[in-house]
Structures are given as structure tokens and as C-alpha cells.
């Protein structure tokens, strides 16, 4: 590790990654935002899914002040964050064949909806099967992943494919395999992951594009306001009532 404090070096690494995705993924971000806007305009529903720490970026866009009220979390029991004990069970469930199909069969997803699948490696059975099953049901799929894993690791899905192979649009987070930005001679393993910072920024960039695209078409984006500002609760009550048939986190 070169000169600078570990904190400085982490910030530098994260900023460099954000610059890369801003420049290199601009076209894909625009396409993803447009796809979600098209879905909203066509009365479709929006969903986000992520397993383990990839779920953090999915949860961050659901029922969020400044965010689209229509974004719903597609939850898979045991793999949403680290809410299961032991935490290692979540990682094991990501490799179980058939789990995604069972979730899709019982979910509200239907043809005409859009699903954002977040998986850093994109190699496990769960995200690959989720993308395959969703598209087979007529759902548009946006994948947020690190494409580097497809060339440096092997797939854990029976097809031998990765999440990126089954998406309508792919957003590449540029995160290096292993998700650790720093090394130090006195520490035996690389450390300081940046995937959450970058993936969350990608998600917010896409939804900002969605909101602006809807507005440009003369459609009011169904945005939520903070409940901690005056009038926020009344605003949100109107939005949640108006779009209640496409919102599932209230049921």
C-alpha cells in the first residue's frame, strides 16, 4: 500500500471506481433508467433483489425518501442481508438449485414487470436462476454485477453461465474479484470492500434517470418524501394510495 492513511486510500479507491462506472457505464445506466421508466408508464411493477451484502443496495431503494415508491424488494427468506443465524447459512442458500424458482412461483412478479438483480459475483445458482426464471415469465431483467468474475471464476449454476448472461441490461460495477481494495504488509488478507458504495451509487443513478425520464414524458414520478420534513407524511400517503396496486411492502 502506498503513502496515505488507510482511510485516504480507501476513499481514493472508491472515488476511482465511481469515476469508472460514471464514464464507462453511462450508456447502460441510461438504458436501465429508460427501461424502468417504460415499465412504470406501462403500469408495470418494479422489483429489486440481492442476496447477502448485495441485498443492501436493493433494500436501499425500497421505501426510500427521494426514491421511487414503486420499487419493491423481492425477498428470499434467509438470504436478505445477514439476518439469518448462522450468517453462513445465507451463503449456502445462494447455491441451492430450485430456490429462485420457488420464490418466483409465489411472488407477485408477472409479465410486464421489471426486476433488478444485484449479485457481485453473479456466479451462484440463486441469481442466475432468478434471471432465467424471471425472463421466462416475461419480466425484464437488469443485472448489477462485476463482470470480472465471469472471466476469473467458475459458475456455480448447472448451466455454467453467470448472471450477466441472462439480463436485458447489465451494469458492471468494476469491482475486482475478492471485493477488497487495500493491502498492507502487516495484514495477511486484503481488506476494505467497496462494492456496497459503488453498487448503491449505480442504483441511485439509474433511479434518478428513471425519474427524469418520466418527467420528460409528462408523467409525475411517484417519489417519496422524507417523513421528517413538514408535509412529508401527507405527501407519501397520497403517493402510496394512488399507486397502492403496484406497491407490495405495505401488504
Amino acid at each position: 500500500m502506498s503513502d496515505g492513511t488507510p482511510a485516504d486510500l480507501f476513499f481514493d479507491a472508491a472515488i476511482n471506481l465511481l469515476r469508472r462506472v460514471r464514464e464507462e457505464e453511462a450508456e447502460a445506466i441510461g438504458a436501465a433508467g429508460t427501461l424502468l421508466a417504460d415499465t412504470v408508464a406501462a403500469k408495470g411493477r418494479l422489483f429489486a433483489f440481492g442476496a447477502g451484502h448485495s441485498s443492501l443496495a436493493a433494500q436501499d431503494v425500497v421505501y426510500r425518501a427521494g426514491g421511487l415508491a414503486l420499487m419493491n424488494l423481492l425477498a428470499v427468506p434467509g438470504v436478505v442481508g445477514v439476518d439469518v443465524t448462522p450468517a453462513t447459512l445465507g451463503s449456502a442458500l445462494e447455491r441451492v438449485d430450485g430456490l429462485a424458482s420457488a420464490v418466483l412461483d409465489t411472488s407477485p412478479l408477472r409479465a410486464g414487470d421489471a426486476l433488478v438483480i444485484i449479485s457481485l459475483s453473479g456466479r451462484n445458482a440463486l441469481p442466475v436462476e432468478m434471471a432465467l426464471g424471471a425472463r421466462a415469465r416475461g419480466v425484464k431483467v437488469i443485472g448489477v454485477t462485476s463482470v470480472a468474475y465471469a472471466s476469473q471464476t467458475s459458475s456455480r449454476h448447472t448451466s455454467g453461465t453467470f448472471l450477466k448472461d441472462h439480463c436485458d441490461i447489465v451494469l458492471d460495477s468494476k469491482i475486482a474479484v475478492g471485493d477488497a481494495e487495500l493491502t498492507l504488509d502487516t495484514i495477511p488478507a486484503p481488506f476494505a470492500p467497496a462494492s456496497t458504495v459503488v453498487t448503491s451509487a449505480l442504483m441511485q443513478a439509474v433511479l434518478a434517470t428513471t425519474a427524469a425520464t418520466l418527467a420528460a414524458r409528462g408523467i409525475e414520478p411517484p417519489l417519496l418524501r422524507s417523513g421528517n420534513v413538514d408535509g412529508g407524511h401527507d405527501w407519501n400517503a397520497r403517493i402510496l394510495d394512488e399507486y397502492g396496486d403496484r406497491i407490495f411492502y405495505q401488504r
Side-chain angles (χ1 to χ4, degrees), residues 1-14 16 181-183:
M1 197 160 65
S2 58
D3 293 339
T5 68
D8 287 337
L9 292 171
F10 176 76
F11 279 122
D12 287 342
N16 287 335
E181 294 300 320
L182 305 183
T183 58

Side-chain angles (χ1 to χ4, degrees), residues 63 223-227 231-241:
Y63 189 55
L223 297 169
L224 294 171
R225 290 188 172 183
S226 172
H233 286 299
D234 291 338
W235 173 281
N236 291 342
R238 175 181 69 84
I239 294 293
L240 295 175
D241 180 66

Side-chain angles (χ1 to χ4, degrees), residues 29-41 46 64-71 202-224 235 243:
I29 290 169
T34 300
L35 187 155
L36 295 184
D38 291 343
T39 303
V40 172
L46 309 180
R64 178 65 191 262
L68 284 176
L70 302 189
M71 185 60 75
L202 273 169
M203 291 294 291
Q204 294 298 343
V206 167
L207 292 183
T209 303
T210 301
T213 301
L214 287 169
R217 298 178 184 178
I219 302 171
E220 179 189 346
L223 297 169
L224 294 171
W235 173 281
Y243 294 94

